[in-house]
Amino acid sequence: MQKKLIILIIVNLGIFHGLFSQEEKDLGTETVTVVRPYSPTVSDAFKIKTVPNINDSIVLQKKKIDYSIFSIPVASTFTPSKGKASVVERVKPEQLYNTYAMVSLGNFGTALADFYTSRDLDRGKKRFDFGLNHHSARGDIEGVPLDTDFYNTKIYGAYTQKNRDMDWTGDLVFQHQKYNWYGIEEGFLDEATINSINEGQNYFTVEAGARIQMDDSFFNAGDVRYRRFWDGVSSGENRFFIRPNFEFPLSTDFIKLNVNFDYVGGSFENGSLNNLSNVPGISYGQMQIGLTPSIQLSGEDYSVSLGATLVYGLDLENKDNNFYIYPQVKGSYDIADNALVLYAGVEGRLLQNSYYDFVAQNPFVSPTLTILPTDQQYDGYAGIRGEVLTNLSYNLRASYKAENRKALYKLNPLNPGRTDQKGYYWGNSFDVFYDDVKTLGLFAELSLDINRSLSLGINAEFFDYNTETDNPAWNLPDMQGSLFFDYQIGEKWYVGANLFYVGERNDLSSEAIPNSLPQDFPSTILTLDSFFDANAHVGYRVSKQLTVFAKANNIANNSYQRWSNFRVQGFQILGGASYKFDF
């Protein structure tokens, strides 16, 4: 009772205090929302604390079973063996030999010979190499009244030394070549004139050079070379160049600087065949000084090279000079993990032409040439390449090139009034004609390599030319292509073949006449037919050292003209052997 009275008094005091407060001041109305985080709880699960009684009319009783063991001893002779790790079968490395020799003989009096030996000194830190190559043929070509034999022998030696931070190589080369200006059709000249023609020409080369390569240095590598080239009619040429390369690191990329000094000079004792008399002779001298700075940028999927070539060209004979700037920009981007790679570039250069280079491309040039550099203003290209499968690759490219003073080979005019020592003035030799040429090109290539035992490849290239003189691009094909395959049959046999195609070309046949300029000589444009050339080879490895082989060239026996009036040998068959040994 007392507790209820105390509670009632407290409630009345609260109500009275509330009324009194409202009379003193009006606090207004507010809405207060109390937000409280949700705190879930898990109630205890209801568990059966007693086992229910089973009220069943049938209760199964378990039958007690007693077990006993009846042991019988059994004799055993089994003894487990210890485990042994499997051994990977090692492939015995192929034995290498330091000397190789090959000899092959065939019809048309053809002979091929190769010899190479390499000797290591001071535990491989020093090496001496020596080699000899020979190719000759002494047979005649049907329907050609002049001698058609040729001879080409090259001897070279090199010394290499490897140090911890520097490698260098020095070499010395001697070469002798003999060719004939046999490009006269049967019946074109009478027998007496044919017998009076001295159609043979000899070329000689002596050159020495060195290359150095360094590690951990801003000087990366460098080449230096001197070449003396001369022929059998008192023509001579000197060529000297030095090309150091520098490389400067720049964070994850680097800057390259290539330097080039290139000189070529010489003289021809005989004058141009556009002249009726053999005067005067021809002298020339060209010098280039060039710098090519570039920056190399690369990432996981791309690589870019940005640069330019600056060249100062000096014509020493004519006291003329020019300054050239060429782009050097190229890059690639891998879109699909080597399956599709985009690449493009724009490049240019001042190409140093020489008598030696012209003979290497066309040994039937006359010793009466004008030597000038070719201004390759730009060569822009773009394409895609990649690997469709691990053993199947492709390459597609389009290009556009602009060249000033491009060297083209054109027949010399018939000039029977000349009395030169050699018989190259009967329309049976070639001059170098310079023209400004723009070339549009398309290229496609497909290569297949299966288990390293079968290699197959095909490529084709198409050209469209536009010349400043509106003449055809002399002796340049509008299309060319090739097909090859090599197949390894087991460990002993191997076979292979190649087929190449060259499209139509144009040349100019003319005759020098008195009191006329060369462009006014009576002339006729010639069209050289396109041609196929098929070749095959087969070989058998008698042992690890001895191999015998046979080769067949020009299987279709086509008497095509590689150069105007210069027919090639027909079907050729050769057989030979090669041997490897330590010397």
Side-chain angles (χ1 to χ4, degrees), residues 159-302:
Y159 175 80
T160 301
Q161 182 170 324
K162 297 181 179 181
N163 299 322
R164 186 176 64 178
D165 299 325
M166 180 184 70
D167 299 342
W168 67 273
T169 300
D171 64 83
L172 183 65
V173 180
F174 173 77
Q175 186 175 14
H176 175 208
Q177 303 171 78
K178 179 183 182 299
Y179 293 95
N180 289 285
W181 291 294
Y182 65 85
I184 295 177
E185 294 293 330
E186 193 171 26
F188 178 71
L189 299 174
D190 59 67
E191 186 175 354
T193 303
I194 291 293
N195 293 333
S196 67
I197 295 176
N198 183 358
E199 68 270 31
Q201 170 68 306
N202 288 274
Y203 301 108
F204 303 91
T205 305
V206 173
E207 62 180 290
R211 175 173 176 80
I212 185 172
Q213 186 168 353
M214 300 187 68
D215 298 328
D216 300 327
S217 173
F218 66 91
F219 175 72
N220 186 29
D223 294 278
V224 60
R225 182 161 297 276
Y226 170 76
R227 178 189 301 123
R228 173 64 180 175
F229 180 70
W230 72 99
D231 63 18
V233 289
S234 303
S235 308
E237 178 182 81
N238 297 303
R239 177 82 180 270
F240 174 78
F241 64 78
I242 180 170
R243 296 168 181 166
N245 302 324
F246 303 89
E247 193 171 286
F248 307 95
L250 182 66
S251 183
T252 58
D253 303 311
F254 53 90
I255 295 176
K256 283 187 174 182
L257 177 62
N258 297 335
V259 181
N260 179 41
F261 174 84
D262 195 339
Y263 166 80
V264 62
S267 63
F268 296 99
E269 187 175 276
N270 300 283
S272 170
L273 286 176
N274 292 321
N275 302 328
L276 295 180
S277 59
N278 190 11
V279 290
I282 302 172
S283 298
Y284 59 95
Q286 302 287 339
M287 185 178 70
Q288 298 180 16
I289 302 175
L291 298 174
T292 305
S294 63
I295 182 171
Q296 314 293 316
L297 307 174
S298 61
E300 184 178 354
D301 300 324
Y302 72 92

Side-chain angles (χ1 to χ4, degrees), residues 110-113 133-137 150-154 179 553 569 572 574:
T110 302
L112 289 170
N133 308 115
H134 173 82
H135 185 196
S136 64
F150 69 88
Y151 171 101
N152 187 350
T153 298
K154 184 177 182 180
Y179 293 95
N553 298 329
Q569 296 174 344
Q572 306 153 46
L574 301 93

Side-chain angles (χ1 to χ4, degrees), residues 12-175:
N12 290 331
L13 288 175
I15 295 172
F16 173 78
H17 178 72
L19 294 173
F20 177 79
S21 299
Q22 290 178 359
E23 291 178 358
E24 292 293 325
K25 187 176 181 180
D26 186 6
L27 296 178
T29 302
E30 291 188 20
T31 301
V32 178
T33 302
V34 178
V35 179
R36 183 181 179 187
Y38 174 64
S39 300
T41 60
V42 179
S43 300
D44 292 337
F46 176 75
K47 300 179 180 179
I48 301 176
K49 297 181 180 180
T50 59
V51 178
N53 295 324
I54 301 175
N55 296 322
D56 197 346
S57 59
I58 299 175
V59 178
L60 297 177
Q61 297 293 330
K62 292 183 180 179
K63 184 177 181 180
K64 185 177 180 180
I65 300 175
D66 294 330
Y67 295 94
S68 62
I69 299 174
F70 181 67
S71 301
I72 298 176
V74 177
S76 175
T77 59
F78 173 73
T79 303
S81 61
K82 296 181 180 180
K84 185 178 181 181
S86 299
V87 178
V88 178
E89 184 179 355
R90 295 182 180 181
V91 179
K92 187 177 181 180
E94 182 180 357
Q95 183 176 355
L96 301 178
Y97 300 92
N98 64 11
T99 305
Y100 168 84
M102 184 275 292
V103 175
S104 177
L105 301 174
N107 61 336
F108 291 98
T110 302
L112 289 170
D114 280 320
F115 177 81
Y116 172 79
T117 186
S118 178
R119 179 65 59 88
D120 284 336
L121 307 172
D122 193 12
R123 298 181 180 179
K125 295 181 180 180
K126 301 175 183 179
R127 188 180 74 247
F128 176 74
D129 300 310
F130 175 80
L132 181 147
N133 308 115
H134 173 82
H135 185 196
S136 64
R138 300 188 177 279
D140 294 329
I141 298 176
E142 185 178 356
V144 178
L146 298 177
D147 291 339
T148 61
D149 60 298
F150 69 88
Y151 171 101
N152 187 350
T153 298
K154 184 177 182 180
I155 301 174
Y156 60 92
Y159 175 80
T160 301
Q161 182 170 324
K162 297 181 179 181
N163 299 322
R164 186 176 64 178
D165 299 325
M166 180 184 70
D167 299 342
W168 67 273
T169 300
D171 64 83
L172 183 65
V173 180
F174 173 77
Q175 186 175 14

